Amino acid sequence: VKLPFLLPRELRALGVLGMNRRNAEFILPGNPRSHYPRVDDKLRTKQFCQQHGIPVPQTYAVIERPGDLRHFSKLVADYPEFVIKPCQGAEGRGIIVVTAHDSRRFTTAGGATLELADLRYHLESMLAGLYSLGGQPDRILVEQRLIRHPIFEPIAVGGTPDIRVLLYRNVPVMAMVRLPTHASRGRANLHQGGVAAGIDLHSGKTLGGVCRGRVVTVHPDTHAPVAGVVVPHWPELLVAAAKLARVLELAYLGVDFVLDADRGPVVLEANARPGLAIQLANRAGLLSRLQNVAGPDELIEGAPPGG
Amino acid sequence: MNARRSAWWVAGALVVTGLACVAVRLHAQQRAKLARGDTLWRVTYKVEFNANRAGAGLRVTVPRETPHTRIVRRDVQYAGLAAQRVRASRELSREIALVAPTGGRHTMTARFDLHFTPQGRAAFSESAAKLTAEMRAQYLRGADTIPTNAPLVLETLAGLQPADPTNLVHRIFDFCDRNLRSDDEDFPDDVPTVLRQRKASSLGCARAFVTLCRAAGVPARLVTGFTIEPAEDAELQYWAEAHHGGRWVPFDPVNGSEGVVPADLVPVTRDQSEIVRGTDIAALKTSLEVVRRPPGPGALRFGRSQIGVIFDLTRLPLDMHEMLAVILLLPLGGLVTALFRTVIGLRTFGTFTPTLLALSFVYADWKTGLLTFAVVLALGLTTRAVLDQLKLLVVPRLSALLTLVVLCIMLLVSVLDYFNLTPSTQAVILPMVILTMTIERFYLTSEEDSPGIALQQLAATVLVGACCYGVLRWQTVGQLVFTFPELHFFTIAGLVLLGRYSGYRLTELWRFRDLGNR
């Protein structure tokens, strides 16, 4: 009989890391609370990156007060396209990508047109903390829109894919690329139906993917195979991720990159509570890889040998 | 892992501490019992009645506490009846009000465990008897059973020289005590007949005293109660209280005691002669069983002031018991929430939203509560979508939503009352801030993730809430924790262990199901 779910011992044999264990054994001991603001505020992460020569999207403006919004058209007048994001937003919430505008009407990546008043309302909500963790008042980052690297053309629809590298003690242990779909409305949000594909750490080549929790081999919209794409600048990307992990001083960290057509890997943000879906995307458990980083003297219970 | 081992140690220490506290207090109780002449009694009301129609009401009056008796436990069972919250007149009587949802035969049982102390409690004080003008008028008013204007009453009073106000109450008392024979319960109750025949049942005798007092301008009232002595169906005792010298003074013309009543007399209700009454009911049968109980937990000493009694919540006034018992169950609600989160892996809107919703449902019937929840949620979501068009800032928008929720609930209270659909408006008073935040979170989740995920979280919220509701309604455990709050050391121990649980969540077995197909 084939059960529609796995038994705990099967998950253990696969070396799958569960949410409770991630929290109790990796995040709580490894990520000191006082270092969280370094990643929860995108502006601070950006400053860390800039200090250490890690490429980030160019900042056009930072909006701190509702009063600043009066001059919004002037702020962005010089930039034909840009991205607006709340500094403390999570899971890509509240982000608006403007692809064209005439200072009165703004066209977003999704194809919708926003009046200036609508956009200002959105920005005011953002400042008031609609998207921030815990509803605290927030700041807004207006920054360069990154250009999707052509290599992802067949497997990304309506948006830019982002690459997540998971690090433990500054060592990359797993990576995946999140591909936007029609269903996810151009966002690389897995809840909304984006596709996540694992990436082989050595070669930077994509593996099969996962969509809405189920294994997929082809992109649901373009039907192009998601596996076998070699991510350009892969070693460079891993080095940048490791460097950032070291300066942020967070032991269990996810770093998100976008591969820009011109600039190569650019850091978007970092996450001190990276999710577990990366295991599904890679079709592999994390425990043995974490064990390899921890070393034999510090046995991680239940990690299968090798990895 | 070091932290894990210390968690086990802490949990173990907590369990041991909890057990030790319970043991120490049980021991102290047992010893305290044996050392004194205190006794424990159980009074059981057994009530049977026929409801003439759906909505027929029953009111059962609860024994009152005196310097000698204290209620340590109460347990009311009324399967098939709905409880109604009434604003009890603290001064006269405390009532349990029940409503029969259907016509026909119904029963209810109410048990009260009384702690009887012959010496009395120094700390006991009856609320100061300040007599307002309104109360004064009430206790001077005539009634069918208290015919203050009956010729025979006025005539009798005239014979007692009412012109001289000093000692008038005593003269009335002496008159009733000496001239009314009250050694047979078949003697009449009716005051004019009593005065004519000069013989009275105990009720008649007490009524005659009250009537004469009121006719003479002295506020007085009837008291109905029972005696603490073993009885299968205890006879009700009647005496009176007259407001004299700035306080209510008991007078028992039947047994001839003035100023004090025997220690073992327990008052139940004032100004009325029945302890169980009803509207639209027939064939009411009430029995009052009094039995002596062996000493056990909950029977704590009182009287001597002792710092140890701080830990004894059962000494608090009875009307606080029910509420405190529910509050003391809240940590178990937290435990349930933690179990669902870490062991099962369900995500809810807000960590304690289910617990708080469940808490409000405890005071209501859950069907009406759930209906209200659904109606307010649906209306709130519609409004939230409309508010979105207005482009309001976060805080004003949330406050507007809160206002709507408040109005909505108030309107529902009124609507339900108008159609007489619910026995209690309490049923729809849900925590409004929690509702507002639930609406907001539902809306945002369905916009940002998907309506499916929002519905999933809503279902999880309702499910966890239902489990919390079950826990909060668990009266046996509630009583136990109320008697021994230190049992919550176990709860903390459980939470400490749960906090170190690093196994898979149940939902993860499903989430990672495809990993097995390699």
Side-chain angles (χ1 to χ4, degrees), chain A residues 131-252:
Chain A
Y131 302 102
S132 73
L133 297 157
Q136 294 303 306
D138 203 353
R139 292 181 293 183
I140 298 172
L141 207 52
V142 182
E143 59 183 27
Q144 174 195 7
R145 183 192 172 208
L146 299 167
I147 312 296
R148 180 169 71 197
H149 196 282
I151 192 122
F152 292 120
E153 207 70 53
I155 51 170
V157 172
T160 317
D162 70 11
I163 298 165
R164 151 78 54 96
V165 179
L166 183 72
L167 301 103
Y168 181 51
R169 300 187 181 175
N170 315 333
V171 180
V173 287
M174 215 176 246
M176 67 171 169
V177 56
R178 285 180 292 202
L179 306 162
T181 60
H182 273 309
S184 74
R185 284 177 269 170
R187 275 166 59 185
N189 181 331
L190 300 186
H191 287 303
Q192 287 181 330
V195 173
I199 302 178
D200 178 64
L201 277 182
H202 278 286
S203 59
K205 193 191 268 184
T206 56
L207 310 164
V210 59
C211 181
R212 293 187 192 278
R214 300 312 304 254
V215 164
V216 292
T217 50
V218 293
H219 190 277
D221 302 326
T222 65
H223 301 290
V226 289
V229 178
V230 179
V231 178
H233 311 288
W234 185 244
E236 211 180 311
L237 186 148
L238 288 184
V239 168
K243 216 167 166 187
L244 182 58
R246 199 164 58 238
V247 298
L248 290 177
E249 295 177 89
L250 290 160
Y252 189 82

Side-chain angles (χ1 to χ4, degrees), chain B residues 61-89:
Chain B
T61 322
V62 174
R64 296 181 67 87
E65 301 200 325
T66 71
H68 300 280
T69 47
R70 197 174 53 115
I71 300 175
V72 289
R73 200 191 135 130
R74 83 173 194 179
D75 174 23
V76 185
Q77 282 169 358
Y78 46 84
L81 296 170
Q84 192 179 21
R85 247 147 213 279
V86 284
R87 227 165 116 197
S89 143

Side-chain angles (χ1 to χ4, degrees), chain A residues 51-70:
Chain A
Q51 279 164 20
H52 293 86
I54 300 163
V56 285
Q58 196 192 332
T59 308
Y60 294 159
V62 178
I63 301 170
E64 305 205 3
R65 281 174 298 276
D68 299 346
L69 290 175
R70 261 177 293 158

Side-chain angles (χ1 to χ4, degrees), chain B residues 168-211:
Chain B
L168 181 59
V169 182
H170 299 286
R171 266 177 276 134
I172 294 173
F173 174 74
D174 282 344
F175 168 80
C176 295
D177 185 24
R178 289 189 192 153
N179 300 322
L180 302 180
R181 272 187 57 206
S182 55
D183 45 2
D184 191 334
E185 281 307 303
D186 289 334
F187 286 165
D189 304 334
D190 175 56
V191 176
T193 320
V194 164
L195 292 177
R196 198 178 316 117
Q197 299 183 359
R198 294 284 166 112
K199 53 186 188 184
S201 64
S202 53
L203 175 59
C205 189
R207 272 184 184 162
F209 175 79
V210 171
T211 310

Side-chain angles (χ1 to χ4, degrees), chain B residues 469-482:
Chain B
Y469 176 77
V471 168
L472 293 180
R473 286 282 301 236
W474 203 355
Q475 283 184 357
T476 325
V477 174
Q479 276 295 340
L480 195 67
V481 178
F482 183 68

Side-chain angles (χ1 to χ4, degrees), chain A residues 66-87:
Chain A
D68 299 346
L69 290 175
R70 261 177 293 158
H71 317 294
F72 183 74
S73 325
K74 215 184 284 173
L75 278 179
V76 296
D78 294 342
Y79 308 109
E81 48 180 25
F82 54 88
V83 179
I84 301 168
K85 43 175 92 157
C87 281

Side-chain angles (χ1 to χ4, degrees), chain A residues 90-114:
Chain A
E91 296 177 12
R93 292 196 175 150
I95 293 179
I96 297 182
V97 180
V98 174
T99 52
H101 70 98
D102 58 3
S103 294
R104 307 193 58 77
R105 313 178 100 235
F106 297 80
T107 310
T108 66
T113 309
L114 285 174

Side-chain angles (χ1 to χ4, degrees), chain A residues 16 19-20 93 121 192, chain B residues 342 391 448 504 508 513:
Chain A
V16 173
M19 191 64 87
N20 291 325
R93 292 196 175 150
Y121 164 68
Q192 287 181 330
Chain B
T342 57
K391 318 284 178 205
E448 283 166 13
Y504 296 112
E508 283 170 350
R513 65 195 180 280

